[in-house]
Every structure is written in C-alpha cells, then in structure tokens.
Amino acid sequence: MTRPYAEVIGDPISHSKSPRIHGFWLEALGIDADYRATHVTPDALPHYFAGRRDDPAWRGCNITVPHKVDALAHVEDHGGVRAAIGAINTAIRAEDGVLVGTNTDAAGFAAPLNPFDLAGKPVTVIGAGGAARAVLFALAGIGVGPVTLLNRNVEKGAALLSSFGLDGQAVALDSAVPPSALLVNTTSLGMTGQPPLDLDLSVLPGDAIVYDIVYAPLETGLLAAARARGLQTIDGLEMLIGQAAVAFALFFGAEPPRDRDGELRGILLG
C-alpha cells in the first residue's frame, strides 16, 4: 500500500514551515505518513487537483498564497465555506473519495485572542485577500467593531466588510492607522522578499494588540515597532500552528500533541 501523505501548496512555497510542523506531530504520534511542500502555480492549479483526485494515498492539502480563493472552484463545498468566508486553506479527501474544501484559518487566527475582551472594540485590518476573509469571519464572530480596513483597492475592502456584516470603513493602504484595540496584518507585506509594511503605530493605546500573520521572518518590522512601543504582540506562528492543528486532525485522524507547542516553536525558530 502506498504511504499516505498530505502537503501544502502555494506559489511561492519554499518558505513554508508546514512540513516541519506536521512532520513533528507525525513523528511524535508514531504515524506512518508524510507531509510535503509542493510548488503549484496558478496556471497549474486545475491540473494539481485533477491529479490528486485520482491518488488514493493523498489525504489532503493546506493551501496558501495565492490559491485560497481560486481553489474553491476545484473542490466540493459541503460546509458552506464559500458563502461564510469565501476562501479555503484546506482540502481533504472525504470517505467517498470526493475532495472537500474547508477553512481552518479562522479558528487558528482566533485562538490566541481568546484571553482578550475585544467585543465592541475598534479594530484595524490590513489587506483584503484570502487570509483577510478568514480573519474578518473570526472578528465578526467575536463581535468587534468598528473595523477599519486598509487596502490598495478601497472598493474591494468595503465590499468585504459589508459581506461579513461588520461596521466600519475601508480606506487606502497608505492611510493613517486609527486608534484601535487590535491591529492585524493579513498581507504578505513584511514577509521575506516582499516590501516592508511601514505603519505609524503612535496612535494605538498602550494596551493595544498587534497581530501579524506573517511568519517568515517571525520578527517582522511591524512586530518590532509594536514591541518598541511596549504593545502586546502575536506572531504568525500562533495562527500557523493553530490552523495546522485543525488540518492535521482532518488529514490523519488524530489530534496533534499541543502540549509540546513550546518544543515545536523552538524547532521552527531554530
């Protein structure tokens, strides 16, 4: 029998830490399976899913930039993810062999915010891509508001806020950051090889939280600026590990050992 496997797809993909995360959990639990990174360009996305559909060893994949929206066209949407979030980050093979899309980003994003009371408090979100959809879905569930969304395309940002029923406004990406209890970067700005995200954080209150979902590098310029001001920060590994844990259970039918998160972070940072 061919060894079962799952993978992460994206363009680019070499920066992904997902193989190390899932590999750590597979080894810890003694599961005989693989997890790999596969480079898939936008043009190759239909061919990728067509090929995996006929591979019984394939348990599923995590989906990263730039495929989170386009991948919806190649899988079944049994959970209503298209209407609820409008993007997926995970596809799995169901028991009947059908490929099904889901989104574990929202749960992964929200988990580190559980200790904080953000209901009814102002939030700023940077970006309006696939990751932003999951973030806004989670923020709507928390009941934050109002939300200021900074994006290059203001109309797209406004439509996104409306689609999640969030009060607030969309403004240009180079607009000033308003006072906020939480600021979230959902873009690739600040990622290795990408332009920096230069924001003036001086208007944020002293108890504000700055959350950057970028994890390569882990210490982004945004987080460094927030820490210099003494603000609370949440780095990209928090969301990455959280969403990966949900996906791992779907792929391999076992809960990952989250009591070893500290050890895992050490490996990822090493």
Side-chain angles (χ1 to χ4, degrees):
M1 181 178 177
T2 305
R3 196 179 193 200
Y5 73 97
E7 58 196 331
V8 58
I9 64 169
D11 179 29
I13 199 59
S14 60
H15 67 283
S16 177
K17 296 183 184 295
S18 293
R20 297 173 74 183
I21 296 171
H22 288 265
F24 175 82
W25 290 334
L26 288 170
E27 181 178 0
L29 297 176
I31 296 175
D32 185 23
D34 290 322
Y35 187 99
R36 62 191 68 156
T38 302
H39 182 210
V40 178
T41 64
D43 289 345
L45 195 63
H47 176 74
Y48 167 80
F49 279 109
R52 294 305 188 267
R53 188 171 281 107
D54 298 325
D55 184 353
W58 185 82
R59 297 294 184 85
C61 68
N62 290 120
I63 302 161
T64 189
V65 175
H67 304 315
K68 293 188 177 188
V69 175
D70 291 344
L72 268 166
H74 305 287
V75 297
E76 298 296 319
D77 181 21
H78 291 176
V81 179
R82 181 186 297 277
I85 300 179
I88 60 173
N89 78 320
T90 303
I92 59 171
R93 179 187 299 281
E95 292 183 2
D96 57 3
V98 172
L99 305 192
V100 178
T102 188
N103 195 308
T104 68
D105 273 341
F109 167 78
L113 295 175
N114 286 338
F116 305 101
D117 179 15
L118 292 168
K121 295 184 178 179
V123 172
T124 295
V125 175
I126 316 299
R133 291 175 175 272
V135 166
L136 292 170
F137 176 81
L139 292 175
I142 293 171
V144 304
V147 176
T148 300
L149 192 149
L150 278 66
N151 193 52
R152 290 190 180 93
N153 185 323
V154 176
E155 290 75 16
K156 179 180 179 181
L160 207 55
L161 286 178
S162 177
S163 70
F164 289 103
L166 288 164
D167 293 328
Q169 63 175 340
V171 296
L173 186 60
D174 58 359
S175 299
V177 171
S180 309
L182 170 68
L183 183 146
V184 186
N185 174 37
T186 74
T187 75
S188 60
L189 294 174
M191 182 185 293
T192 302
Q194 299 294 322
L197 178 60
D198 294 322
L199 299 175
D200 181 1
L201 305 181
S202 61
V203 301
L204 296 183
D207 60 351
I209 306 159
V210 176
Y211 193 150
D212 197 338
I213 72 169
V214 170
Y215 58 85
L218 191 61
E219 176 78 349
T220 63
L222 176 64
L223 293 184
R227 290 190 179 113
R229 273 212 54 213
L231 303 177
Q232 298 182 83
T233 60
I234 301 174
D235 62 47
L237 279 189
E238 294 282 352
M239 178 174 174
L240 182 67
I241 293 173
Q243 64 82 24
V246 180
F248 183 90
L250 294 173
F251 296 150
F252 303 111
E255 293 295 329
R258 296 300 304 276
D259 58 327
R260 297 178 62 180
D261 276 7
E263 182 182 353
L264 175 57
R265 282 183 67 97
I267 292 172
L268 296 174
L269 296 175

